Amino acid sequence: MNENVSTKEPEDAVKSDVVVIGTGIAGLYTALNISERYTVTILSKAALETNNSNLAQGGIAACVSPSDDFESHYEDTVKAGAYHNDQKHTRILIEEAPVNIGKLLQYGVNLDRDEEGKLLVTREGGHSKRRVLHAKDATGREIIRGMGEEIHRRQNIRLMEHVCATWLMVSPKGVIGLLAIDKDGQQAIYQSNCIVMATGGIGQVYKNTTNPSVATGDGIAMAYEAGTEIRDMEFIQFHPTAMYTDTPGQKFLISEAVRGEGAILRNIHGEAFMEKYHELEDLAPRDIVARSIFAEMIKTGQSHVYLDITHKGSEFIQHRFPTIYNHCLKEGIDMTKEWIPVAPAEHYVMGGILTDDYGRTNLKGLYACGECACTGVHGANRLASNSLLEGLVFGKRVAEDINKILSEDQSNEAPLIGRIGAEKTKTNSPIDISALKNRLKETMDRHVSIIRTEKGLEQARGEVEEIRKTLEGSQENSIPYHELKNMTTVAWLIIESAIKRKESLGGHYRQDEMEG
Ligand SMILES: Cc1cc2nc3c(=O)[nH]c(=O)nc-3n(C[C@H](O)[C@H](O)[C@H](O)COP(=O)(O)OP(=O)(O)OC[C@H]3O[C@@H](n4cnc5c(N)ncnc54)[C@H](O)[C@@H]3O)c2cc1C
């Protein structure tokens, strides 16, 4: 909580029954499931579709095929999660999947079907059955399109794009609102006793990530600052196959579904190597594939390996993976004839804001869902295509709890959406934000990546604490400043948890444990 923030009701605050922060799958689906009797404001710090959800390629896992069963989906999920999963929440995730997929289809989301109109399912790494629903290789884009259109139809939902939430406002009774800054630097207060964090991932904390620029961990950092419990931050998933380029930054993902359809990983000498590392070979769980690639990269002294799907035929590849095919072509690689250079990159955080089975946090009125939440369903390592699903299942549950709370609260008349404040923020900065960001990313890539050691983690902690001190001395109140502050808090949370966990588990791999 920002101690300088007054908790008196400001005249020009934006009021609504519910404020949802984030327009990814979790935020949009939560908002759509709030009863139309209540006013909802959704904030997005970029355009509605700039988020991880929109980039999801492979698909969304759900047990909808007659050859599949809940038990098998559950087993695959906890096995990938190194049995660190919350069992109750994982069962909820899997058993409530089909009904939420049904709802998604009602919003006009078009998932791929066969000639008879039956939903098509594919297989991905760690899944023992074909259960991944998809919309070609741009599943997230189709989901966000469908839900986005539905959001625009709803009278009770007000969408505020390019507005960045910066601080939670908290009274002894719980959350009462938040502070935000828009792209012109105008500050505003959004008042509500129900706030939903759906702010997505943390990828920007690392130099190489599949996440877009908005993924700076804001929700996790804001919730932490407000006193909310954060859990399991040491578990970071590095996607094995981000397309390799020698410039750092956001990396294009080569979906796991490409391996699901038979692609083979080869080292720089052309040798297929996954059989040396795991019985499931190229479809082994992600952490194992990422470490195996990393090991081959070290062995061969190269910064990438290759993914080979050339044996599947040009027509199949272009039809099944049009987005990936076209992107590769733009980068000068024809994937129907050539191997794609790939290397691991940060992809997903398993930890986050600790929530119960209805997305409630330990701070009254504050909910979290989607990637920023830690429901425990992914354990120490997320099973492919379970995260879009988590956004749906727990987003709906958050909305159900809010509907119940609001219906029981007699004092709660649906407030009107009000005017936005116009206080200009200070932007004069004596600190070099971009240099500090690079320093943070370098530190995280070097010491807190796929393979970790006590010594490296301690070094990283020292670096991050220095960056934190520099930021604390600044008067800046701009979006880049808040993002860097949040990234630094998130980096610190990851490092602290990684230092505490001495053993390797899922997405947390301690080399010193292996050596010792
Ligand atoms: C390239 C890629 C491919 C993937 N493929 C798959 C897949 O096939 N299947 C699968 O299940 N998962 C996949 N994932 C993971 C999955 O997409 C994400 O975990 C999931 O979409 C997260 O959804 P979300 O709603 O929690 O967050 P996001 O979709 O990331 O949305 C976060 C939202 O919060 C907003 N926001 C953040 N901070 C603030 C702030 N301070 N103020 C206001 N707004 C803010 C952002 O602008 C954004 O709108 C993939 C991820 C990536 C990056």
Side-chain angles (χ1 to χ4, degrees), residues 20-28 43-61 124 132 139-140 144 160 163-166 180 197-201 209-212 214-219 222 239 250-253 255 286 346-349 369-373 382-391 483 486:
V20 178
I21 315 175
T23 55
I25 190 166
L28 294 182
L43 309 181
S44 173
K45 68 174 171 178
L48 178 139
E49 63 281 353
T50 305
N51 45 52
N52 281 356
S53 300
N54 200 57
L55 294 176
Q57 298 174 346
I60 180 161
E124 287 191 345
V132 179
T139 310
I144 296 299
M160 305 290 295
V163 174
C164 180
T166 52
M197 285 294 183
T199 50
T209 176
T210 60
N211 293 190
V214 291
T216 49
D218 298 358
M222 277 189 278
H239 198 289
Q250 187 184 344
K251 300 289 180 204
F252 182 76
L253 185 77
S255 164
R286 280 191 182 161
E346 193 286 344
H347 188 55
Y348 187 84
V349 59
C369 55
E371 191 167 341
C372 70
R382 175 182 70 104
L383 180 67
S385 287
N386 266 354
S387 47
L388 288 176
L389 179 61
E390 184 194 20
E483 287 185 332
N486 293 332

Side-chain angles (χ1 to χ4, degrees), residues 303-372:
S303 41
H304 65 275
V305 295
Y306 288 108
L307 191 63
D308 169 17
I309 193 168
T310 52
H311 52 283
K312 289 296 279 191
S314 177
E315 204 183 317
F316 171 82
I317 294 170
Q318 290 189 49
H319 179 73
R320 178 69 180 86
F321 301 113
T323 313
I324 298 174
Y325 171 77
N326 285 320
H327 185 92
C328 287
L329 216 52
K330 252 196 269 157
E331 297 285 334
I333 292 155
D334 179 350
M335 69 187 273
T336 66
K337 300 194 187 90
E338 293 166 278
W339 301 344
I340 309 166
V342 291
E346 193 286 344
H347 188 55
Y348 187 84
V349 59
M350 270 68 77
I353 307 163
L354 184 67
T355 58
D356 69 6
D357 48 349
Y358 281 91
R360 293 175 287 225
T361 71
N362 62 324
L363 179 59
K364 187 160 181 284
L366 183 69
Y367 295 78
C369 55
E371 191 167 341
C372 70

Side-chain angles (χ1 to χ4, degrees), residues 270-282:
E271 295 154 3
F273 56 82
M274 275 313 297
E275 64 186 29
K276 286 191 292 189
Y277 296 95
H278 198 273
E279 68 206 20
L280 287 173
E281 300 185 12
D282 295 278

Side-chain angles (χ1 to χ4, degrees), residues 155-293:
Q155 298 293 312
N156 66 317
I157 299 178
R158 174 172 175 166
L159 172 67
M160 305 290 295
E161 291 171 295
H162 303 285
V163 174
C164 180
T166 52
W167 286 105
L168 282 175
M169 296 161 65
V170 183
S171 83
K173 289 187 186 159
V175 284
I176 52 171
L178 60 85
L179 277 182
I181 303 176
D182 70 15
K183 65 176 187 306
D184 301 320
Q186 306 290 338
Q187 201 165 236
I189 291 176
Y190 289 80
Q191 258 186 290
S192 177
N193 296 326
C194 289
I195 297 183
V196 183
M197 285 294 183
T199 50
I202 57 108
Q204 288 298 319
V205 164
Y206 287 89
K207 204 162 67 174
N208 294 308
T209 176
T210 60
N211 293 190
S213 60
V214 291
T216 49
D218 298 358
I220 297 174
M222 277 189 278
Y224 174 72
E225 302 288 349
T228 307
E229 200 175 331
I230 309 295
R231 177 78 61 88
D232 284 353
M233 291 298 286
E234 68 273 37
F235 300 120
I236 306 287
Q237 184 169 88
F238 292 84
H239 198 289
T241 56
M243 187 173 188
Y244 171 76
T245 55
D246 50 16
T247 44
Q250 187 184 344
K251 300 289 180 204
F252 182 76
L253 185 77
I254 309 295
S255 164
E256 192 135 343
V258 179
R259 275 175 290 133
E261 297 291 357
I264 298 161
L265 282 160
R266 298 185 183 280
N267 66 18
I268 205 87
H269 306 303
E271 295 154 3
F273 56 82
M274 275 313 297
E275 64 186 29
K276 286 191 292 189
Y277 296 95
H278 198 273
E279 68 206 20
L280 287 173
E281 300 185 12
D282 295 278
L283 289 178
R286 280 191 182 161
D287 57 330
I288 292 168
V289 181
R291 277 199 303 278
S292 308
I293 293 176

